[in-house]
Amino acid sequence: MISYRNQLRASDFGSDFLWGVAISALQNEGAWNVDGKGLSNWDVFARKVGKIKGGVRPVIANDFYYRYKDDLMLVKALGFKVFRFSIAWSRILPEGMGRVNKEGLAFYHRLIDECLLLGLRPYVTLYHWDLPYELEKQGGWSSHQMQKWFTRYVKLCTDEFGDKVKDWIILNEPMGFTSLGYMLGKHAPGKTNLSMFMSAVHNAALCQAEGGRIVRAEVANAHIGTCFSCSEVLPYTDKPEDVLAAKRADALLNRLFIEPALGRGYPDDPDFPFLEKLHLHNKAWKYKDRMQFNFDFIGIQNYFALTVKYSPIIPYLHATEVKASTRKVPHTALGWEINAESFYRMIRRFWHYGGVKEIIVTEGGAAFKDVLNNGIINDDRRIDYFNQYIAAVLKAKKEGVNVNGYFAWTLTDNFEWAEGFNAKFGLVHVDIKTQLRTIKNSGYWFRDFLKT
Ligand code: NOJ
């Protein structure tokens, strides 16, 4: 068991270790239609009845567009050195292509300048799930035009910000936005279409590498990465059908994007029927080289461990989750299994792929039901969570894994996609009506920890 509560010291990680905090545009900015911003897929998706818990929309979110200076002061006050945020494509290219919105660019210049002024290193994510609606209408990620659109967008970002920003993240969790958006219908654009999902995967794998190449060509001394979600998948029993179900789910959740990025093409596994379709796209490995890029770092984001069993009714995958609550193991307010050992194993696994030069934990955090009591949020469980997960990073590091950073998810409570405003991940509580910020005890814990 990894349990080092209050025995950890930040200095154990070395002075070069990057401690950061991460946010994203759609979840934080609000200002969805001001200063020339175009519509994004999420602005439209969130209007559909029943898609977002509580029927809320990210119209104001936590008002980061107007409060970024105060929020950056919080980042600074808590002692972080890195601030990771994303650019809203529809803010700078309102229709996705064509016309540039100068006011949108000006916002990101102000934000980056403020980071630099405060001595915070900006890590820019190019795509964190909000696509201009005009492009979504034309098929979004499932359209083969995606590479053309993405190239234009990335070039605009590097031209504008390349002198100031050196740390670039191409995609955030491609498995997340392709599967939730095009196969499961839970995120924008809300499609449940297997063939759109397959096309989206393929276009994302190509854009992931192409984006890397553009940043390399356009930005001197760039440090380029991309982020993957990852979850260890274990079989519920050792029956062969459960073991195979876990293998299939693992290929889908953990291997689908890193393996093409490393130049191996899609996971080659006869037990994984999704692959047949992907290999059609892959046409005799013709795209293998184009999906490969020599990333300087890989971002990994591990929010839960999974246990699955065979299920005849789930098409292709034939695997279904056995919930953490059913198995009576520790879990967060979203029912996500807390398992720092499993996180440690995933860090090692990504490292041992070979060809990975550096790992950064580009997001880590947990949602709990916070209670604000006399201005205090005693979120002990979140502190415990960070203790365990950070200890897992240290364990891997001490064993020689080149893991060089941990970015907490997230600064302030924000718009948690289909969960609306109820799933709270922040180190800082936000009263969504008044926008009042209150640092949680986990925020203070981080501040004190970072001084050690
Ligand atoms: C990963 C996503 O990148 C982020 O946007 C989301 O809020 C967290 N997971 C928590 O679900």
Side-chain angles (χ1 to χ4, degrees):
M1 269 298 282
I2 298 175
S3 170
Y4 297 94
R5 181 152 189 168
N6 299 333
Q7 292 170 21
L8 288 170
R9 281 171 316 171
S11 56
D12 294 339
F13 293 74
S15 55
D16 292 339
F17 194 85
L18 297 166
W19 293 101
V21 70
I23 71 158
S24 83
L26 190 282
Q27 294 176 276
N28 293 71
E29 286 177 5
W32 69 294
N33 64 350
V34 306
D35 295 343
K37 180 182 170 294
L39 278 177
S40 79
N41 55 351
W42 272 89
D43 295 324
V44 176
F45 179 71
R47 291 179 190 157
K48 294 190 185 160
V49 178
K51 289 296 183 190
I52 315 287
K53 285 203 183 136
V56 294
R57 288 164 51 196
V59 172
I60 301 175
N62 55 38
D63 207 27
F64 181 78
Y65 188 76
Y66 294 108
R67 291 169 199 259
Y68 69 95
K69 283 195 181 178
D70 294 346
D71 284 351
L72 289 180
M73 287 297 284
L74 283 169
V75 177
K76 183 84 185 160
L78 295 181
F80 292 103
K81 295 281 186 296
V82 167
F83 184 62
R84 176 186 166 205
F85 62 92
S86 71
I87 294 176
W89 186 338
S90 60
R91 202 178 282 293
I92 64 173
L93 287 164
E95 285 89 33
M97 290 287 278
R99 183 173 66 91
V100 172
N101 179 29
K102 291 250 156 53
E103 284 179 279
L105 291 175
F107 168 67
Y108 294 108
H109 276 295
R110 291 198 295 279
L111 174 58
I112 292 164
D113 291 346
E114 192 69 16
C115 286
L116 298 174
L117 189 75
L118 293 173
L120 296 170
R121 188 160 153 185
Y123 265 66
V124 168
T125 311
L126 285 163
Y127 187 75
H128 199 130
W129 302 4
D130 52 331
L131 189 71
Y133 182 59
E134 288 303 318
L135 303 183
E136 194 71 82
K137 280 201 294 198
Q138 297 171 58
W141 285 93
S142 74
S143 163
H144 64 267
Q145 296 197 77
M146 196 62 214
Q147 279 179 79
K148 182 178 79 190
W149 300 333
F150 194 63
T151 298
R152 159 90 165 107
Y153 165 64
V154 176
K155 280 204 170 130
L156 177 61
C157 292
T158 52
D159 279 357
E160 279 292 321
F161 312 120
D163 289 345
K164 301 175 184 176
V165 173
K166 297 296 163 196
D167 301 289
W168 294 83
I169 293 171
I170 309 299
L171 299 181
N172 179 70
E173 296 194 358
M175 187 57 213
F177 67 80
T178 55
S179 65
L180 292 164
Y182 296 90
M183 180 170 64
L184 300 172
K186 293 192 171 169
H187 281 193
K191 306 281 183 205
T192 48
N193 181 318
L194 190 62
S195 96
M196 282 181 95
F197 166 65
M198 292 299 165
S199 302
V201 166
H202 191 55
N203 292 323
L206 288 165
C207 286
Q208 176 175 264
E210 189 57 22
R213 282 187 282 273
I214 298 169
V215 180
R216 184 74 79 224
E218 305 286 326
V219 179
N221 305 317
H223 180 230
I224 308 170
T226 198
C227 308
F228 302 113
S229 45
C230 62
S231 287
E232 189 177 39
V233 189
L234 296 176
Y236 189 46
T237 71
D238 53 14
K239 286 189 211 145
E241 65 263 37
D242 286 351
V243 172
L244 274 179
K247 233 178 127 195
R248 283 190 295 271
D250 175 64
L252 183 68
L253 295 176
N254 296 316
R255 301 173 53 198
L256 205 50
F257 286 95
I258 175 102
E259 296 191 7
L262 290 172
R264 301 169 172 222
Y266 293 113
D268 199 359
D269 192 330
D271 297 318
F272 185 40
F274 276 102
L275 290 174
E276 280 166 31
K277 289 194 179 254
L278 278 170
H279 284 292
L280 289 182
H281 282 297
N282 221 355
K283 293 211 190 76
W285 303 94
K286 129 169 165 211
Y287 292 102
K288 207 170 147 196
D289 291 345
R290 281 177 53 204
M291 296 192 296
Q292 192 268 337
F293 179 71
N294 194 8
F295 283 103
D296 300 316
F297 70 93
I298 291 302
I300 61 172
Q301 317 189 152
N302 171 267
Y303 281 93
F304 42 81
L306 277 176
T307 293
V308 301
K309 65 176 182 188
Y310 173 77
S311 158
I313 56 175
I314 312 271
Y316 293 100
L317 197 58
H318 294 302
T320 189
E321 183 189 357
V322 186
K323 293 207 163 85
S325 55
T326 313
R327 290 179 288 121
K328 301 202 170 29
V329 294
H331 53 273
T332 72
L334 290 173
W336 296 355
E337 178 177 342
I338 301 171
N339 187 336
E341 276 289 348
S342 159
F343 173 45
Y344 156 79
R345 287 193 290 270
M346 289 313 280
I347 301 174
R348 284 180 56 96
R349 182 171 154 192
F350 272 72
W351 176 245
H352 286 295
Y353 257 120
V356 172
K357 293 192 249 171
E358 180 189 12
I359 290 181
I360 295 179
V361 180
T362 35
E363 281 182 30
F368 292 108
K369 296 242 176 301
D370 297 324
V371 183
L372 180 63
N373 204 343
N374 287 328
I376 293 171
I377 289 159
N378 193 357
D379 56 339
D380 245 10
R381 293 198 64 197
R382 189 173 286 108
I383 296 175
D384 207 44
Y385 179 96
F386 280 123
N387 261 293
Q388 291 184 44
Y389 275 67
I390 289 171
V393 174
L394 186 60
K395 186 172 165 191
K397 192 171 175 64
K398 282 192 172 157
E399 288 170 9
V401 176
N402 190 27
V403 49
N404 276 335
Y406 187 95
F407 303 169
W409 183 267
T410 180
L411 178 64
T412 40
D413 292 337
N414 63 20
F415 178 79
E416 176 56 26
W417 309 109
E419 296 292 329
F421 292 112
N422 283 329
K424 297 179 187 303
F425 280 87
L427 298 175
V428 177
H429 173 272
V430 177
D431 179 321
I432 218 66
K433 291 210 179 72
T434 61
Q435 292 293 340
L436 186 74
R437 271 80 167 137
T438 307
I439 300 177
K440 302 179 192 177
N441 281 359
S442 57
Y444 292 119
W445 174 83
F446 245 114
R447 180 198 60 185
D448 295 343
F449 164 71
L450 293 176
K451 287 184 191 152
T452 58

